Amino acid sequence: AEIDNRDVVVRMIGTLTPRQQAAILLTGAFDYSSEDAAEILGISAGTVRMLTSRARAVIRRREENGG
């Protein structure tokens, strides 16, 4: 079951834009702050927060619609 869930998460992340993927992975999986992720990506912390928020919304919608 855990492997199945991981596979679903990987597939959902794979549907995001590259910038959304980077933002959500840096802040979620690797636990960077928005400021640190912004420095890594060369964008503002506000943009990281916006990308992360939009990525979560996309994932949530897809999850609600059955993946």
Side-chain angles (χ1 to χ4, degrees):
E2 185 177 322
I3 291 173
D4 292 339
N5 289 339
R6 195 176 308 149
D7 189 44
V8 169
V9 170
V10 168
R11 272 198 316 255
M12 284 187 177
I13 290 173
T15 66
L16 301 172
T17 68
R19 285 171 40 126
Q20 288 174 330
Q21 288 176 11
I24 203 160
L25 288 172
L26 287 172
T27 59
F30 296 109
D31 205 29
Y32 282 98
S33 68
S34 295
E35 290 75 17
D36 290 339
E39 188 173 330
I40 291 167
L41 297 172
I43 58 179
S44 73
T47 300
V48 170
R49 288 189 287 274
M50 180 266 307
L51 289 167
T52 302
S53 176
R54 288 185 181 173
R56 287 184 177 138
V58 167
I59 289 170
R60 201 171 14 255
R61 273 195 307 275
R62 290 199 174 119
E63 188 175 45
E64 290 169 358
N65 294 328

